[in-house]
Amino acid sequence: MKNSIFILIAVIWFVFSGLFIAERFGIENWIGSFILYSMGFYWIYPYIFSKTMYFPYSAEAFTDKEENNTKRMILFALGLLFSSMVSML
């Protein structure tokens, strides 16, 4: 249930920020923004819910263990950067 609510809030924020904050016009802008937002969400979601994180084009999995905390935090920070960049620009 928490996962569904989190995803719903993320989708609502994407639409809200696109309409009122970034004021996107045209399907090209929405598609490009959706791709970047999805890339960010790909790392935010597993970090918050302590699931396994994957780096794109790599077979290495970062589980929620002590030795992977730094790698997980870097991916989470990149995800926040992508998502916030799309929401504000």
Side-chain angles (χ1 to χ4, degrees), residues 43-68:
W43 290 318
I44 293 171
Y45 177 79
Y47 184 83
I48 290 176
F49 291 106
S50 300
K51 297 183 184 275
T52 303
M53 296 175 79
Y54 298 96
F55 193 77
Y57 307 111
S58 172
E60 188 176 0
F62 304 125
T63 57
D64 192 23
K65 293 184 180 176
E66 188 69 31
E67 65 267 5
N68 293 329

Side-chain angles (χ1 to χ4, degrees), residues 63-82:
T63 57
D64 192 23
K65 293 184 180 176
E66 188 69 31
E67 65 267 5
N68 293 329
N69 282 345
T70 305
K71 296 173 187 174
R72 288 174 57 88
M73 183 62 76
I74 290 170
L75 291 177
F76 178 69
L78 282 173
L80 281 178
L81 178 71
F82 286 162

